């Protein structure tokens, strides 16, 4: 997950994607992965739009015995994210995992808000979350998110992909291959179930075997 934080600040990861693909659950799985590798992450609830989002992340934080930073709802997500990074710096957390509101790729106001958050927090890693069986729409989603992040002269791009529900694809691995081949964005993790430890790196031999079986 990168090569360390910038300027002594916590290593910051922003999770983005459309509604209902499993961003919060994937964030919790990554938090568990980091925790299992001697990191001390803080979870930041920056989905200030969807009712129940803060509570959902709070449940994950409680289950993992990890700190959660939030300011409730109807707040500027960028402000909350920056405050979370400051809080983690003060408290000695070495990673900040930022949850964001799900948004459809053609929702211009929400996409602008996401670009603002990424620009102002300057994260070490931006991870795009999508379902493994998304098909061609996944390419449209990723392209539109990339376009939003680079709007206004910004040059920030998505750094990696998290594929959820990868345990359901069987031999249908074309979407995964297409996403990373056409965009050059690597697949960082695959979600393979509901438990926190159900997160794995992409198995290249599995993909090759599936394609030729």
């Amino acid at each position: 997950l990168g090569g360390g934080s910038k300027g002594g600040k916590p290593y910051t990861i922003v999770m983005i994607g459309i509604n209902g693909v499993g961003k919060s659950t994937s964030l919790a799985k990554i938090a568990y992965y980091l925790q299992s590798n001697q990191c001390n992450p803080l979870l930041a609830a920056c989905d200030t739009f969807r009712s129940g989002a803060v509570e959902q992340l709070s449940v994950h934080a409680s289950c993992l015995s990890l700190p959660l930073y939030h300011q409730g709802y109807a707040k500027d997500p960028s402000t909350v994210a920056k405050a979370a990074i400051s809080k983690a710096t003060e408290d000695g957390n070495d990673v900040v995992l930022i949850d964001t509101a799900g948004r459809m790729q053609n929702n211009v106001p929400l996409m602008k808000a996401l670009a603002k958050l990424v620009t102002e927090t300057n994260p070490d890693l931006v991870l795009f979350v999508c379902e493994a069986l998304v098909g061609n729409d996944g390419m449209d989603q990723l392209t539109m998110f990339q376009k939003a992040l680079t709007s206004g002269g910004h040059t920030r791009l998505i750094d990696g992909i998290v594929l959820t529900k990868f345990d359901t694809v069987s031999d249908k691995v074309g979407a995964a291959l297409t996403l990373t081949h056409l965009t050059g964005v690597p697949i960082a993790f695959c979600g393979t179930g509901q438990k926190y430890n159900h997160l794995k790196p992409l198995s290249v031999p599995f993909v090759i075997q599936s394609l030729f079986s």
Side-chain angles (χ1 to χ4, degrees):
L1 285 176
S5 59
K6 306 183 187 80
K9 291 184 178 181
Y11 192 90
T12 306
I13 302 172
V14 174
M15 309 287 288
I16 66 174
I18 69 166
N19 312 68
V21 294
K23 283 186 306 302
S24 299
T25 302
S26 296
L27 181 149
K29 289 179 179 180
I30 292 174
Y32 174 81
Y33 171 85
L34 293 168
Q35 192 179 36
S36 301
N37 285 275
Q38 291 73 54
C39 293
N40 180 27
L42 176 142
L43 311 188
C46 297
D47 181 352
T48 64
F49 178 75
R50 178 175 64 87
S51 177
V54 174
E55 290 78 7
Q56 180 185 8
L57 203 61
S58 177
V59 170
H60 287 308
S62 177
C63 289
L64 294 169
S65 299
L66 290 173
L68 171 72
Y69 183 86
H70 74 90
Q71 293 183 8
Y73 296 98
K75 301 292 193 302
D76 175 28
S78 300
T79 301
V80 178
K82 288 184 289 185
I85 295 170
S86 296
K87 178 66 172 172
T89 304
E90 293 172 7
D91 293 351
N93 299 100
D94 50 9
V95 183
V96 177
L97 289 160
I98 298 175
D99 191 27
T100 63
R103 63 207 76 208
M104 297 307 292
Q105 64 268 30
N106 57 359
N107 187 319
V108 175
L110 284 180
M111 293 299 275
K112 284 184 176 179
L114 179 64
K116 178 175 180 286
L117 184 150
V118 171
T119 300
E120 293 186 0
T121 58
N122 189 25
D124 296 279
L125 204 63
V126 178
L127 294 179
F128 176 76
V129 184
C130 68
E131 294 182 351
L133 286 173
V134 70
N136 292 332
D137 191 45
M139 191 65 219
D140 180 51
Q141 291 173 21
L142 195 150
T143 301
M144 293 294 286
F145 272 83
Q146 290 275 48
K147 184 178 179 181
L149 293 183
T150 57
S151 63
H154 303 299
T155 58
R156 186 56 200 256
L157 295 173
I158 293 167
D159 299 302
I161 300 168
V162 178
L163 289 177
T164 61
K165 303 180 182 178
F166 198 72
D167 52 315
T168 67
V169 299
S170 183
D171 59 346
K172 301 178 182 68
V173 296
L177 197 63
T178 300
L179 275 174
T180 191
H181 174 68
L182 293 181
T183 64
V185 180
I187 296 171
F189 288 111
C190 298
T192 58
Q194 295 299 312
K195 295 182 179 179
Y196 291 127
N197 62 342
H198 289 167
L199 187 76
K200 299 178 180 178
L202 179 70
S203 170
V204 176
F206 169 78
V207 172
I208 294 172
Q209 182 179 359
S210 298
L211 287 171
F212 289 97
S213 63

